[in-house]
């Protein structure tokens, strides 16, 4: 039969009531490390707006009359180089759509990528000379980086996330290379190259 003194019950109750407060304080501290400042958001918004305004018309991007099989690798390489620069913003948008699709359809990928980004931002923002207290234990920044590396390794290689990331990168590269390599340069670009 268990018996407990009133003092031990009071101490346990005080510890239990203090735990949520300590957890909330830790969460607030973590939130301050991973929060993105207003200037960064403004820069992201401005860059996104600039890229969206610089999109080439989709009718030009999907112009069927300009698609042709290149005669040799040199021509493929010239087309690829020109079109990647010419349609750069369109390709970025397509890559972002593919990434968003994979993140939505693979929730574990979303969690893993979120962990990788938040963990990196949090650890890199910690002071290097001061230990960080987590759950009552003190850890140096080096120890946190090592733990982050081990967890990231397991996330990437043993959960299939690395395979998904490989397929996302391969699919994006294949789509961009197939489009850019098979789309002929516009006539204006041919004349522009001769004049230079």
């Amino acid at each position: 039969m268990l018996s407990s003194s009133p003092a031990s019950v009071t101490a346990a109750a005080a510890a239990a009531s203090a735990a949520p407060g300590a957890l909330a304080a830790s969460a607030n501290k973590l939130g301050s490390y991973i929060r993105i400042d207003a200037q960064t958001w403004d820069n992201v918004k401005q860059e996104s707006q600039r890229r969206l305004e610089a999109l080439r018309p989709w009718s030009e991007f999907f112009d069927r009359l300009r698609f042709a099989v290149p005669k040799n690798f040199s021509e493929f390489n010239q087309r690829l180089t020109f079109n990647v620069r010419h349609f750069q913003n369109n390709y970025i948008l397509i890559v972002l759509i593919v990434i968003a699709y994979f993140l939505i359809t693979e929730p574990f990928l979303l969690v893993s990528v979120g962990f990788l980004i938040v963990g990196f931002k949090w650890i890199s923002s910690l002071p290097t000379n001061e230990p960080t207290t987590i759950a009552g234990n003190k850890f140096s920044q080096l120890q946190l980086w090592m733990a982050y590396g081990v967890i990231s390794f397991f996330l990437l290689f043993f959960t299939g996330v690395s395979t998904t990331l490989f397929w996302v990168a391969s699919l994006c590269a294949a789509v961009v290379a197939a489009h850019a390599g098979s789309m002929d340069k516009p006539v204006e670009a041919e004349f522009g190259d001769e004049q230079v």
Side-chain angles (χ1 to χ4, degrees):
M1 189 168 183
L2 291 172
S3 64
S4 56
S5 68
S8 65
V9 171
T10 305
S17 65
L23 188 60
S26 296
N28 285 340
K29 188 175 180 183
L30 177 64
S32 69
Y33 286 124
I34 60 174
R35 198 169 288 132
I36 297 175
D37 63 342
Q39 180 63 37
T40 303
W41 276 121
D42 288 341
N43 291 345
V44 168
K45 287 179 192 175
Q46 289 172 0
E47 183 65 17
S48 300
Q49 186 65 32
R50 187 184 70 76
R51 295 262 182 199
L52 286 173
E53 289 171 357
L55 282 174
R56 298 287 179 176
W58 292 105
S59 57
E60 179 184 353
F61 188 78
F62 291 113
D63 187 1
R64 290 179 300 148
L65 301 174
R66 289 181 42 208
F67 281 103
V69 177
K71 296 177 181 76
N72 52 38
F73 182 74
S74 176
E75 184 179 0
F76 173 82
N77 197 25
Q78 287 175 352
R79 289 180 182 186
L80 184 69
T81 303
F82 174 82
N83 286 322
V84 164
R85 275 188 275 124
H86 189 69
F87 292 114
Q88 176 183 18
N89 297 312
N90 297 67
Y91 292 137
I92 290 172
L93 183 61
I94 289 170
V95 166
L96 289 175
I97 290 170
V98 169
I99 290 171
Y101 171 78
F102 273 94
L103 287 175
I104 291 168
T105 58
E106 300 275 343
F108 195 72
L109 176 65
L110 181 63
V111 170
S112 299
V113 169
F115 169 79
L116 293 173
I117 292 170
V118 169
F120 182 83
K121 177 113 170 87
W122 178 63
I123 294 172
S124 63
S125 67
L126 292 173
T128 56
N129 299 331
E130 297 176 23
T132 302
T133 304
I134 301 174
N137 298 316
K138 293 188 180 211
F139 299 97
S140 70
Q141 192 178 36
L142 178 62
Q143 291 171 319
L144 292 174
W145 278 119
M146 290 186 333
Y148 173 79
V150 169
I151 293 170
S152 299
F153 177 79
F154 280 105
L155 274 176
L156 293 175
F157 291 104
F158 293 118
T159 59
V161 172
S162 61
T163 305
T164 304
L165 292 174
F166 170 78
W167 283 111
V168 168
S170 299
L171 177 65
C172 292
V175 166
V176 170
H179 180 272
S182 62
M183 183 163 228
D184 206 0
K185 294 192 232 179
V187 175
E188 307 87 50
E190 296 291 341
F191 286 123
D193 287 347
E194 288 176 8
Q195 291 173 355
V196 175

